[in-house]
Each structure stands twice: as C-alpha cells, then as structure tokens.
Amino acid sequence: MAVCARLCGVGHSRRCRRRKRPNQQGQASDSDMEEEEEERIVGPRPGDTLVELPPELLVEIFSLLPGTVLPNVALVCKKFRHLLNTETIWRRRCIDEFGMKEDLRKMEVGQVSSRDLYVKLLHPYRHILGLWQPDIGPYGGLLNVVVDGLFIIGWMYLPPHDPRVEDPMRRRPLFRVHLWDNQKATVECMYGHKGPHKGDIQTVKKDEFSTKCNQTDHHRMPGGRQEEFRTWLEEEWGRTLEDIFHEHMQELILMKFIYTSQYDNCLTYRRIYLPPSMPSNLLQPGLFKGTYGSHGLEIVMLSFHGTSARATKLTGDPNVPAGQLTLDVDLRRPIILPDLEQQCRIEKLSRLVIQVHEEVQREAEQQAKGLVVTSSGGEDGCCSDASRGEGMKADGACSDNCQPGPSSSSSSSSSSVPPESQPFVLPVGVMARNEVYPRTCRKCFYGTGLIAGHGFTSPERTPGLFVLFDQDRFGFIWLELKSFSLYSRLTDYLPHAHAPNMERFEAMLHNMQSWTS
C-alpha cells in the first residue's frame, strides 16, 4: 500500500476520498472538516491530480509499472481497479518483463487474456526462467528455461556430435508449462517418444526446483531397453554402437545410458549464472563446447578472476564430474612459441611449459614457508578433465584475466612480448579428436589440468599450454596425456542468465563444485 499511497496521495490508513454528492455537502463529518482544513494548509494532494487524469493517460502510466505492483494499485480506488482490467497494461508487462514476441492481440482473441497469461503463467513460474544444472551425478547438464509463445519450456542443451565442436548446440524439450484456457497453468513432461504427458514442478528452495513425471510409462518403448538404448545412442552420438570401434568408449557410453535413464526426468535443478564481463578480459567469457577424448564433447564455462582464467565443467563424466574446474590458466605467465619446426617437437614444447611449472611450484613452496608474500596465482583448487585414454582424465586450470606480467622463468616465456598473431601447429604425437583446428594463434599461457581415475580418484594437476586462437575458440594441450582439446563458443541467446554481480557468481561456482564433489 505504500507505493499506492504515494501514487494516489493518501496515507497508509486513509483511502481515496470520493466526491460527495450534492445532497451530502451539508452533512460533512468532523473528519471531513479536518481534511478540508488540512487541504487549506498544505494545498491539493498529488492524488487529486492523478485520479482526475484521463483514463488513457492512466493506462499508459500503469503499463510502465512492474506487474508485482499493480495488485496494490488496484486497492487504491474503484477507478484504478477498473482500469487495471485493461489488456494494454498486461500486454506491456508480458513483453517488457518476459520478452514475449508473440502477437498478444491474436492470443486475446483466442480467449486467453494477457492478464491471465501474466497472472496465471508468467508470474507464478518466473523463478524457474534462466540457466540450470541438473543433478545427474557426474554427468550434469545445461537446462535453459525460456518463454516461448504461450509456453514456458525447459530445453536441455546437448553438445554437437563428437567431434564436430564448431557445430551448433542441440536442444531437447524436457518439460513445458502452458495456459490453454483461463483456469490454471498445466505442467507437462516432454521426455520420451509418446508425446506430452502429465508432470509436475516443485520449487524446493531459492535457486532450486524439481521436476517429476507422473506417467513414466510414456518413456518406455515397445522394443524394450535395447530399442531405448539404440534411440538414445543415435540422439547422443549420432551413430550406432557398431560404428564405435573403441572398446573403452563403448563402455563409457553404455555406462552413461544406464546411469542417466534411471532418472525418468525426475530431476533437481540448481541455478547457474553466466560469468560477468570486464573490459580487461582476455576474451569474452561465456559457455564453450570442448573435446574430451573418449567422453565426447562437453560444455564448460569460461570466467575470469583477477589473474586467472577458469573453465568450469557444466557437463562431466565418471573421471572428472560436472561442476569441477577443468582449466586453470595463469595469465601472468605468457609463453612464446618457437618456430614451426620446433613446435612439431613435443620435447621442445614440454621443456618450455615444465620450466614455468617448476618455477610456480618453487614459489608455492616458498610461500608456504612464509618466505614469499606475493601470490603465484593459478593455484586455487581448480579441477578439469580431458580424459583421452583408457584410464586417466585431464582437467583443471585457474587463471584470471589481467595484463600479463613478466615471469622470471625463461626467456621464451617472458623475455619478449608475444606477437599479435603467430603460426601454430600441434606437436607430433599429440592426439586431437578434431584435426581441423586454427593454424595461427594470438597468445599462449601456462596452465594446469587435472587428470583423475574413474570415480574422480587420485586427482592430479598436470601442466599444459593454453592457446588463444580468437574470440570464439581456444585450445589446451595436456602434456602428460599428449592430448589436445579444442573449445568453441556457444552462441545461443540465453536470457535471464546473467549474474547480478561478481560476488553472486563466485558463490555459485563454489556451490557448483560442492554439488558434484
């Protein structure tokens, strides 16, 4: 009522004054006389002017107010309550607050009013709009909940088929909420192959909600689990099991199917934010698709934190799960590549990176002994994964975006400033899932990755080389695994996903890591 009181010029305990009929003018009460006396002292109230405005102007004013305020405005007086039934106001709220692009006038002709759309669908479910990570054990995921016409739809984002990292993302609807009539919103599960069926959404707590399918028999297929697996494999990998010759990869794929299919779309989701962008960033932060050996393509979030750049996994695998930090790059330690002939030799590249790595370790040891006050950077618990072999997986680098400072490690990494563009080639013996990678790069930095056994056992950080190709692509060479990951930016439009501030984003990253640890 406080907002309404300011609009109408009345106090907290005083409603709008109605004009008295002529035959009541001589029957003024003492309180009325007091009000008139007050008017003579303070002048006309602001509400007097507002109430007397033309209805068209009032509608325009009300359409600029947040929808959450309008119910209180309706309590001010009968005139306001009547005007707030105007569709123009609610149509404006649907567009401004939820980005609706549909022709709402056509919808209103179809017996669904903009007011009902706002009050019964958009406003009650506004808390689930944005990006979310499903709790699917080590695999995680990326869910984007958006307003799409008369629906609120939860799209599960899937990486392109391995190894086509630069292809666009794939989408699969998991649930939708719609308003077919003016009664109430309906939740439907979209999982399976038999069409929409009954579902439910529950808000567990702030920044968390759960979905439940009430008809899981719709997820079953006539051919049983074998047909379900073949269909899932075609969707996930774009091929049949016979096309995958690597026995270890077959085991990983079958393991993922068995694990993920048990949920039947009954999942808990936790909110995630896109990282804030700063002018000093090395490149625009955001979401990237990356190659991870036998595990296929995974989604990571690149963010900057002072002097380090961190890539956090949104999707994961049994070696290094979702939520862990997959790359940790120290932007204060640039590495200048040798000529192409020397780049082809893995020994030469390893020598450059290991020299910086040993210096970082020495500084860390000295700092632990209290001999060094300044921080060496990039050593704050990031984990990452790039499993490229049969047992171990690489991951983990933390670095932040700032002006790279000089390093005393080696002349190759600090004696000169890296050129704007330099030739790049992978060393002989380094395995790459995607052979099509840029042949020039802008900058290279020392970084670390985390390798781990199955079940995230025996995690270990190993040195590597972060390679910036352009604003939309970067790579990482895992030296111990002799493997190369290529990352390409996810360019989809993701509304309602930006972090309110850096503090909230940092807290989200910390919580995300604990979810899957």
Side-chain angles (χ1 to χ4, degrees):
M1 281 299 296
V3 174
C4 308
R6 289 195 297 270
L7 282 172
C8 199
V10 298
H12 290 282
S13 60
R14 183 183 301 152
R15 295 186 178 275
C16 286
R17 299 185 313 284
R18 292 174 294 178
R19 294 182 179 178
K20 301 190 181 306
R21 298 188 181 95
N23 60 356
Q24 294 178 325
Q25 291 180 356
Q27 303 175 7
S29 64
D30 294 340
S31 60
D32 290 334
M33 295 176 64
E34 291 175 0
E35 287 185 4
E36 291 175 2
E37 181 66 21
E38 184 180 353
E39 284 187 5
R40 284 197 295 270
I41 297 175
V42 301
R45 302 175 185 277
D48 295 339
T49 305
L50 186 60
V51 172
E52 294 173 0
L53 289 175
E56 297 81 3
L57 186 55
L58 286 174
V59 167
E60 180 64 24
I61 293 173
F62 293 160
S63 67
L64 299 175
L65 298 176
T68 53
V69 171
L70 297 181
N72 285 338
V73 175
L75 298 176
V76 173
C77 59
K78 289 184 178 179
K79 180 177 182 179
F80 285 7
R81 184 166 60 251
H82 175 73
L83 289 176
L84 284 173
N85 290 323
T86 307
E87 284 293 280
T88 303
I89 298 173
W90 299 101
R91 194 183 306 138
R92 179 75 170 270
R93 290 297 90 222
C94 292
I95 295 173
D96 289 356
E97 296 182 25
F98 299 97
M100 293 198 66
K101 299 178 181 179
E102 303 295 314
D103 188 345
L104 298 182
R105 292 180 179 84
K106 292 182 180 180
M107 176 199 68
E108 292 158 8
V109 174
Q111 306 305 312
V112 178
S113 68
S114 293
R115 185 180 187 279
D116 285 333
L117 182 66
Y118 185 97
V119 172
K120 298 179 180 180
L121 177 67
L122 300 180
H123 186 263
Y125 288 93
R126 68 192 185 282
H127 297 301
I128 69 171
L129 297 177
L131 288 181
W132 303 83
Q133 186 178 47
D135 185 4
I136 312 180
Y139 297 102
L142 179 64
L143 181 81
N144 187 27
V145 184
V146 298
V147 177
D148 189 351
L150 300 183
F151 298 89
I152 290 178
I153 302 180
W155 293 99
M156 180 68 83
Y157 274 58
L158 305 175
H161 291 138
D162 181 62
R164 301 192 295 268
V165 69
E166 297 197 38
D167 285 0
M169 295 288 289
R170 298 175 293 127
R171 300 192 308 171
R172 176 193 303 161
L174 292 190
F175 63 84
R176 71 180 186 184
V177 191
H178 61 78
L179 190 70
W180 286 125
D181 52 44
N182 290 345
Q183 299 305 312
K184 64 177 182 178
T186 302
V187 178
E188 292 179 324
C189 175
M190 302 290 289
Y191 191 77
H193 303 273
K194 294 185 179 180
H197 47 282
K198 292 181 180 180
D200 189 26
I201 292 178
Q202 295 181 341
T203 301
V204 181
K205 56 184 178 181
K206 180 178 173 60
D207 293 334
E208 183 176 316
F209 75 95
S210 298
T211 57
K212 180 182 178 181
C213 176
N214 297 327
Q215 295 176 286
T216 55
D217 56 299
H218 280 61
H219 305 169
R220 309 282 80 86
M221 302 186 74
R225 295 290 279 176
Q226 289 187 344
E227 182 180 356
E228 292 172 15
F229 175 64
R230 285 195 298 269
T231 303
W232 176 88
L233 185 62
E234 178 65 28
E235 293 177 350
E236 286 280 323
W237 289 80
R239 63 183 82 172
T240 64
L241 194 62
E242 292 73 19
D243 297 329
I244 303 173
F245 302 106
H246 199 297
E247 183 177 351
H248 179 61
M249 184 180 292
Q250 291 180 348
E251 293 175 355
L252 291 172
I253 291 173
L254 183 59
M255 183 189 309
K256 184 175 182 179
F257 169 74
I258 294 173
Y259 191 97
T260 58
S261 61
Q262 66 180 325
Y263 285 90
D264 268 334
N265 206 25
C266 299
L267 297 168
T268 297
Y269 300 88
R270 298 180 180 91
R271 183 179 295 280
I272 58 178
Y273 293 113
L274 293 178
S277 179
M278 302 294 290
S280 60
N281 288 348
L282 183 67
L283 71 159
Q284 180 72 21
L287 306 183
F288 290 79
K289 306 151 284 182
T291 54
Y292 280 87
S294 299
H295 297 290
L297 300 187
E298 297 184 6
I299 305 172
V300 304
M301 175 188 293
L302 181 70
S303 57
F304 294 91
H305 311 260
T307 58
S308 67
R310 304 175 185 176
T312 305
K313 299 186 71 177
L314 298 184
T315 60
D317 51 68
N319 289 78
V320 178
Q324 300 298 319
L325 298 175
T326 184
L327 298 178
D328 184 356
V329 186
D330 191 339
L331 299 179
R332 298 173 302 174
R333 302 180 188 274
I335 292 180
I336 299 179
L337 298 176
D339 57 38
L340 286 177
E341 183 178 351
Q342 295 295 317
Q343 287 185 42
C344 291
R345 299 168 53 190
I346 185 64
E347 299 83 7
K348 176 65 175 178
L349 182 62
S350 296
R351 202 157 46 240
L352 292 175
V353 177
I354 293 300
Q355 190 172 0
V356 180
H357 183 66
E358 290 175 348
E359 178 187 314
V360 171
Q361 289 182 316
R362 285 195 302 271
E363 292 183 3
E365 291 173 358
Q366 292 174 340
Q367 185 177 11
K369 296 176 181 178
L371 300 179
V372 176
V373 178
T374 58
S375 170
S376 61
E379 297 297 320
D380 45 337
C382 303
C383 313
S384 124
D385 52 320
S387 54
R388 315 267 186 303
E390 306 250 337
M392 301 298 289
K393 170 166 193 175
D395 186 276
C398 300
S399 86
D400 292 300
N401 181 341
C402 70
Q403 294 297 328
S407 169
S408 59
S409 57
S410 67
S411 60
S412 61
S413 66
S414 63
S415 61
S416 59
V417 178
E420 287 298 320
S421 179
Q422 52 188 324
F424 175 80
V425 64
L426 285 176
V428 176
V430 173
M431 184 178 66
R433 297 287 298 172
N434 195 327
E435 298 294 339
V436 181
Y437 61 88
R439 291 307 194 266
T440 60
C441 66
R442 294 184 181 180
K443 295 180 180 179
C444 296
F445 296 91
Y446 158 80
T448 58
L450 179 79
I451 58 175
H454 185 82
F456 198 35
T457 57
S458 303
E460 178 188 0
R461 292 193 184 204
T462 59
L465 182 69
F466 176 86
V467 184
L468 174 63
F469 294 114
D470 51 45
Q471 282 294 311
D472 296 322
R473 292 176 297 180
F474 64 87
F476 192 80
I477 299 177
W478 312 81
L479 292 178
E480 183 169 330
L481 300 176
K482 293 185 179 180
S483 178
F484 172 72
S485 291
L486 178 64
Y487 300 83
S488 178
R489 185 182 297 277
L490 190 156
T491 57
D492 297 58
Y493 174 60
L494 303 173
H496 307 286
H498 292 280
N501 50 57
M502 193 63 184
E503 290 73 18
R504 182 76 68 86
F505 178 76
E506 293 274 10
M508 182 270 300
L509 281 184
H510 177 76
N511 292 334
M512 185 188 299
Q513 189 168 0
S514 66
W515 297 338
T516 55
S517 296

